[in-house]
C-alpha cells in the first residue's frame, strides 16, 4: 500500500517537472510565428535535393526553396519567366532561345549565366549520368551559349511541349561549381539562386535559411524554414494544432472539417491536376466494345463518388485531362443513368452483365474507391472483384508487361498527374499506341490512329493555336471512345495557421513557399 | 568465461554469413522490379534503364552476388538505391534514435513490469494480483497506435507539455518510450508472475519456509532469483524485437528510426538497405542471446558457461 502511494507521489512530481519544462516548449512553438520561422509538416521523405535526379514532388518542392529554373509556374500552373526574362522558339519547334536575367549569382558566388544553363541541362540530358529525369530532356541535342546571357537549346526533333518542360522543377539550376565539387553527391549539397540557402538535412528534417542577397527585392519574408516528415495523418494534424508546424500537407479529406472548425487554422482547398479513372484492357472482352465502356461511364454516379471517396473534395472529370492542364477542352458529360447503361450493355450482348476484376493500389483512397465502384457496377449487373495490390506487385503486373497479350489486367483503378502541366504529358503516356507498357503507361492498350496523329501534331509545333486544335481533337476522340471510366479530379487539401499567407501548393502538388509570410 | 566469450563471438561469423546469403535471396524474391519502382510513377523506359544500370541490376545475378559478397566481406554495404547515400550512413543515422528509444522503453517497462509481476506473485489471488491482471491485460490489448495518438492529443495539443513527435531532446522521448513500453511492461509482468508462482511451489522454497527463513528472504533470495531466469530470456527477446524498430510507434511519433526505414526500403525495393538491415537485426539478436547467457551465469552461479 505504502509502496503504491509512493509511486503515485513520484509520478506527480515527475508530472510537475514536465509541466514546467513543457510550458517553455509551448511558448517556443508559438514564438516561431513571430520570429519569421516556418515549419511545414509533410507526409513523405525527402530523397535528394538534386532535382534532375528526383522523381517525387516532395523532393522537387524542397529543392525549389533553394533552386530556381529559367521558367516556373504561377498559382494556376501557367508558365511564367523566372531566371529567364523572355524566350522564343523557331517555327518547327526545334530551337528555343532564352534571354537570361542579368546580375544574379548562385549562393556560392558563382555567376548565373548561359554557361550555367548549358552545364545543367546537358548534365541531365547525358545518359552517362544516369539521372532519373533523363527523359525530360531526351530530345535535347545541345545547348549553345550565344553570349553570356543568351542560351539556345537545339533539339534532335520537334518538341512543341518544350517550354512547359523547361518550367518543370526537375530542371532547376544548380551552381556549376557545386556540381563540380560534389559530383553525384550534389543532392546533399544543393547550391542555387533561390530565396533560401541550404542549412542542414538530418533524417526527417530539412532546414534552410534566408539568402540575404536574393535577387528579388523584398523576398523572402521568412528568416528560416523547416520541412519535417511526419508520415501519420493524425500526428501531422496534432503537429499543426500544437503549434509545432504552421502548415501541413496533405490532409485526408475526412479530416477537412476538423480543420475548418478550428478558429486558429485554415483549410487550403485548391484544384489539382490529379485525375482518377478506371482504365480497361481493350484487348479483352467485353472491354473491346465501346458500348460497354460507355455503359460503365453511365453506370457510375460521379457526384456520389466524390462524396464517398473524397468527402466531397473532388471535382468532376469532364475530359481525358483536367482543367488546369494546357489546352483543356470540356466534353459533354456521361450522365449518371443506370437504365441507359443497361440498354448499352444489352445492345453489346451483355444483358445479364458480366464478371470483372479490378486492380488498384492498397491505399485508403483506392480501396474505398474500388469498393464504391463495386456497389455501383452491381446495379447494372457487373459483378466486380476488387484486388488491392502492393506497389511492387502492381508494377510487375501492369507496367513491366512485355507484350499486350501477356497482360492479365481487366480494370485498373488509376491516377495520373502530368508533371509538366502540359497536354502532351497528360495524354500521350496514357493514350498513344506508342505508349503501351513497358514503354509508358497505356495499361489498357487503347489505340486509335486518329488520336495518335493528333498527339503527334501537338508536338510538331510550338504555336499554341495549332497545338490547341490538335489536343482538342485528341480529347474529343478519347472521350467519345470512352477509353476510361472518367471518375474525378482530386483537390489539393492542406491546412495552415490562420496567420500564414502565400504558402500553397500548385495543382501538381508542388509546394510554393518562396513568398510565404505571416499576417 | 573469457574463453567462452571468445568462442561465442567467433561463432557469430558463420551465422552472419548464412544470414547474408539468405538476405540476398530474400530481397530478390520480392515481386516488383526495383528500377521500375525507384524510377518513379511517370518514368519513361529510358529512365528506368538509367536507374537499372546505375544500380548494377542489369548484370547477371551471379555477378551481383559476387559483388555483394565482396563488398560485405570488405565491410562495405554499398549505397542506398533510393537516396544514393552509403548504406552505413543511412542505417547509422537511424540506428541511434531506435537504440535510445529501445533503452528508454525497456528501462522503465522492465522495472515496472517485474515489480508488478512480483507483487502479483506474492499476493496472488488477492486484490493486488487482480489489479495487476487488469493493468497488464489493458496494457497488452491497448493498440499502441491509438494510445499514441491519444497521448499526443492530451500532452502535446491540449497541454503543450511535450512535443508531438520527432527526436528533438529528452522531452521527445517521453511519449514514444511510454507508448512503446506499455505492452512490454505488461508482458514482463505476466511472465514474472507465472515464473514466480511456479518457483514458489518448488520444494526448496517450502523447505526454506519450513526451516523458518524470514518471508522477505524467501521471496527475494529463494523465489525471485530463481524466477529471474525465464524473465531474463523474455527481456532479451523483447529487447531484440524493439531494436528492430517499431513501425507503429515510429510512424505515430515521426521517429527517425529503423522500423520506418525498413518499410520504406521494402516499398521501393531498396535492396542494399534491406539486406543490411536484415544483417544488422540478426547480429543484434545473436549478441543479445550471448548477453542473456552471460546474465544466466551471473544470476545463478550454478549455471556454468561452457
Amino acid at each position: 500500500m505504502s509502496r503504491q502511494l509512493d509511486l503515485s507521489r513520484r509520478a506527480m512530481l515527475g508530472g510537475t517537472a514536465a509541466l514546467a519544462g513543457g510550458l517553455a516548449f509551448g511558448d517556443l512553438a508559438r514564438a516561431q510565428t513571430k520570429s519569421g520561422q516556418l515549419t511545414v509538416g509533410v507526409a513523405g521523405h525527402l530523397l535528394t535535393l538534386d532535382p534532375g535526379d528526383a522523381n517525387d514532388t516532395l523532393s522537387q518542392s524542397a529543392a525549389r526553396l533553394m533552386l530556381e529554373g529559367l521558367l516556373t509556374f504561377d498559382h494556376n500552373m501557367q508558365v511564367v519567366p523566372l531566371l529567364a526574362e523572355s524566350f522564343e522558339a523557331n517555327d518547327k519547334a526545334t530551337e528555343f532561345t532564352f534571354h537570361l536575367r542579368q546580375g544574379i549569382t548562385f549562393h556560392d558566388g558563382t555567376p548565373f549565366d548561359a554557361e550555367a544553363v548549358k552545364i545543367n541541362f546537358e548534365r541531365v540530358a547525358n545518359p552517362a549520368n544516369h539521372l532519373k529525369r533523363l527523359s525530360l530532356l531526351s530530345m535535347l541535342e545541345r545547348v549553345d551559349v550565344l553570349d553570356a546571357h543568351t542560351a539556345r537549346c537545339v533539339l534532335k526533333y520537334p518538341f512543341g511541349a518544350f517550354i512547359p518542360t523547361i518550367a518543370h522543377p526537375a530542371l532547376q539550376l544548380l551552381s556549376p561549381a557545386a556540381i563540380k565539387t560534389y559530383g553525384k553527391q550534389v543532392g546533399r549539397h544543393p547550391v542555387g539562386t533561390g530565396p533560401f540557402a541550404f542549412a542542414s538535412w538530418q533524417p526527417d528534417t530539412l532546414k534552410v535559411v534566408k539568402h540575404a542577397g536574393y535577387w528579388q527585392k523584398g523576398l523572402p519574408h521568412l528568416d528560416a524554414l523547416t520541412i519535417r516528415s511526419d508520415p501519420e495523418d493524425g500526428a501531422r494534424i496534432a503537429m499543426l494544432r500544437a503549434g509545432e508546424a504552421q502548415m501541413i500537407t496533405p490532409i485526408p479529406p475526412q479530416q477537412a472539417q476538423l480543420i475548418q472548425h478550428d478558429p486558429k487554422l485554415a483549410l487550403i482547398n485548391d484544384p489539382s491536376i490529379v485525375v482518377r479513372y478506371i482504365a480497361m484492357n481493350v484487348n479483352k472482352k467485353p472491354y473491346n466494345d465501346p458500348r460497354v465502356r460507355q455503359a460503365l461511364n453511365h453506370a457510375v454516379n460521379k457526384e456520389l463518388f466524390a462524396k464517398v471517396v473524397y468527402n466531397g473534395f473532388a471535382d468532376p472529370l469532364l475530359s481525358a485531362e483536367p482543367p488546369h492542364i494546357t489546352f483543356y477542352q470540356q466534353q459533354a458529360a456521361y450522365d449518371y443513368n443506370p437504365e441507359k447503361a443497361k440498354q448499352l450493355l444489352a445492345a453489346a450482348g451483355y444483358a445479364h452483365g458480366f464478371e470483372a476484376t479490378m486492380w488498384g493500389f492498397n491505399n485508403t483512397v483506392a480501396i474505398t474507391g474500388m469498393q464504391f465502384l463495386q456497389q455501383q457496377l452491381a446495379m447494372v449487373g457487373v459483378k466486380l472483384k476488387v484486388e488491392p495490390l502492393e506497389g511492387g506487385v502492381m508494377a510487375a503486373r501492369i507496367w513491366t508487361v512485355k507484350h499486350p497479350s501477356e497482360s492479365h489486367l481487366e480494370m485498373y483503378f488509376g491516377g495520373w498527374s502530368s508533371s509538366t502541366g502540359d497536354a502532351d504529358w497528360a495524354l500521350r503516356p496514357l493514350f498513344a499506341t506508342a505508349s503501351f507498357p513497358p514503354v509508358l503507361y497505356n495499361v489498357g492498350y487503347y489505340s486509335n490512329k486518329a488520336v495518335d496523329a493528333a498527339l503527334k501534331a501537338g508536338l510538331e509545333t510550338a504555336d499554341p493555336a495549332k497545338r490547341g486544335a490538335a489536343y482538342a481533337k485528341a480529347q474529343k476522340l478519347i472521350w467519345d471512345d470512352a477509353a476510361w471510366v472518367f471518375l474525378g479530379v482530386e483537390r489539393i487539401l492542406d491546412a495552415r495557421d490562420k496567420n500564414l499567407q502565400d504558402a500553397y501548393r500548385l495543382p501538381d502538388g508542388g509546394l510554393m513557399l518562396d513568398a510565404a509570410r505571416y499576417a | 568465461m573469457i574463453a567462452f566469450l571468445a568462442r561465442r563471438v567467433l561463432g557469430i561469423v558463420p551465422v552472419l554469413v548464412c544470414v547474408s546469403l539468405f538476405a540476398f535471396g530474400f530481397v530478390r524474391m520480392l515481386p516488383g522490379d526495383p528500377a521500375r519502382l525507384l524510377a518513379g510513377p511517370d518514368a519513361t523506359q529510358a529512365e528506368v534503364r538509367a536507374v537499372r544500370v546505375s544500380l548494377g541490376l542489369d548484370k547477371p545475378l551471379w555477378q551481383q552476388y559476387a559483388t555483394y559478397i565482396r563488398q560485405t566481406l570488405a565491410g562495405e554495404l554499398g549505397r542506398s538505391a533510393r537516396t544514393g547515400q552509403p548504406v552505413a550512413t543511412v542505417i547509422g543515422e537511424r540506428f541511434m534514435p531506435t537504440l535510445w528509444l529501445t533503452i528508454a522503453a525497456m528501462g522503465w517497462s522492465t522495472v515496472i513490469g517485474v515489480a508488478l509481476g512480483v507483487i502479483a506473485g506474492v499476493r496472488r489471488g488477492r486484490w493486488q494480483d487482480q489489479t495487476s491482471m487488469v493493468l497488464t491485460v489493458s496494457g497488452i490489448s491497448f493498440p499502441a497506435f491509438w494510445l499514441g495518438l491519444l497521448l499526443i492529443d492530451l500532452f502535446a495539443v491540449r497541454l503543450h507539455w511535450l512535443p508531438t513527435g520527432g527526436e528533438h531532446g529528452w522531452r521527445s522521448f517521453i511519449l514514444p518510450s511510454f507508448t512503446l513500453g506499455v505492452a512490454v511492461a505488461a508482458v514482463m509482468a505476466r511472465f514474472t508472475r507465472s515464473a514466480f508462482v511456479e518457483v514458489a511451489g518448488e520444494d526448496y522454497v517450502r523447505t526454506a519456509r519450513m526451516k523458518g527463513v524470514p518471508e522477505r528472504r524467501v521471496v527475494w533470495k529463494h523465489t525471485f532469483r530463481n524466477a529471474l531466469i525465464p524473465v531474463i530470456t523474455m527481456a532479451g527477446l523483447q529487447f531484440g524485437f524493439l531494436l528492430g524498430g517499431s513501425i507503429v510507434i515510429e510512424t505515430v511519433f515521426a521517429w527517425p528510426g529503423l522500423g520506418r526505414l525498413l518499410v520504406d526500403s521494402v516499398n521501393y525495393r531498396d535492396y542494399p538497405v534491406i539486406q543490411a538491415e536484415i544483417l544488422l537485426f540478426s547480429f543484434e539478436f545473436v549478441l543479445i542471446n550471448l548477453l542473456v547467457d552471460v546474465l544466466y551465469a551471473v544470476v545463478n552461479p550454478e549455471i556454468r558457461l561452457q
Side-chain angles (χ1 to χ4, degrees), chain A residues 1 3-4 7 15 17-26 29-30 45-48 55-56 127 130-136 168 184-185 188 201-205 228-232 234-235 237-239 241-244 264 390-393 395-396 399-400 416-419 425 438-441, chain B residues 31-33 36-54 79 81-86 93-94 112 115-116 119 127-128 131 145 149 152-153 156-166 168 170-171 174 220 250-257 260 264 266-269:
Chain A
M1 188 73 192
R3 190 192 178 88
Q4 292 211 336
L7 263 177
L19 175 71
L23 278 181
F25 181 84
R30 232 157 267 136
H45 287 281
L46 293 182
L47 299 179
T48 176
N55 50 32
D56 61 301
H130 300 304
L131 295 178
K132 291 201 184 89
R133 282 300 178 172
L134 162 73
S135 73
L136 212 51
H168 193 289
K184 279 224 108 170
Q185 291 303 302
R188 304 291 299 188
W201 178 13
Q202 267 141 4
D204 291 354
T205 311
R228 232 176 91 183
S229 298
D230 194 333
E232 213 287 312
I237 292 175
M239 229 172 115
R241 296 175 74 196
E244 286 173 43
K264 281 186 276 182
E390 188 265 349
V393 179
W399 294 336
T400 50
W416 185 258
S417 161
S418 164
S419 56
W425 196 245
V439 179
L440 281 168
Y441 300 90
Chain B
D33 172 9
R36 175 60 267 176
L37 290 166
L38 287 161
D42 67 347
T44 62
Q45 225 181 353
E47 285 164 335
V48 175
R49 201 177 309 121
V51 172
R52 186 168 296 128
V53 172
S54 73
R79 280 178 182 277
R82 205 157 59 102
T83 65
Q85 281 182 290
E93 278 179 342
R94 299 196 172 247
I112 301 284
L116 264 181
I119 294 171
W127 67 266
Q128 289 97 329
T131 311
F145 188 78
L149 284 178
I152 290 176
D153 189 58
V157 177
R158 285 171 208 275
L159 297 172
H160 288 288
W161 291 359
L162 298 168
T164 58
H168 313 274
W170 64 271
R171 236 188 250 110
I174 298 174
W220 290 112
E250 288 177 8
T251 304
V252 172
F253 291 101
W255 198 260
R260 260 169 70 206
D264 288 340
V266 171
N267 280 340
Y268 285 90
R269 307 292 191 264

Side-chain angles (χ1 to χ4, degrees), chain B residues 74-92:
Chain B
E76 231 185 88
L77 298 164
R79 280 178 182 277
S80 159
R82 205 157 59 102
T83 65
Q85 281 182 290
V87 171
T89 312
V90 175
I91 290 193

Side-chain angles (χ1 to χ4, degrees), chain B residues 110 114 187-188 190-199 204 223-238 292 295-296 299-300 303:
Chain B
T110 310
V114 170
V187 171
M188 295 298 289
R190 294 314 296 165
F191 221 78
T192 307
R193 183 191 177 276
S194 61
F196 200 90
V197 168
E198 200 181 308
V199 175
Y204 57 83
T223 323
F224 181 67
R225 275 194 86 143
N226 285 297
L228 260 184
I229 298 285
V231 172
I232 289 173
T233 315
M234 195 60 196
L237 272 175
Q238 295 280 352
V292 165
L295 277 179
Y296 285 167
V299 172
N300 187 347
I303 297 177

Side-chain angles (χ1 to χ4, degrees), chain B residues 77-158:
Chain B
L77 298 164
R79 280 178 182 277
S80 159
R82 205 157 59 102
T83 65
Q85 281 182 290
V87 171
T89 312
V90 175
I91 290 193
E93 278 179 342
R94 299 196 172 247
F95 177 70
M96 292 320 283
T98 294
L99 177 68
W100 287 121
L101 185 60
T102 301
I103 290 174
M106 279 305 289
W108 82 261
S109 60
T110 310
V111 173
I112 301 284
V114 170
L116 264 181
V118 171
I119 294 171
V122 174
R123 304 259 182 249
R124 70 176 170 282
R126 295 196 233 170
W127 67 266
Q128 289 97 329
D129 189 17
Q130 274 142 13
T131 311
S132 148
M133 181 75 172
V134 170
L135 284 178
T136 52
V137 169
S138 323
I140 292 171
S141 35
F142 255 36
F145 188 78
W146 179 72
L147 180 64
L149 284 178
L150 206 71
L151 292 173
I152 290 176
D153 189 58
L154 181 61
F155 290 103
V157 177
R158 285 171 208 275

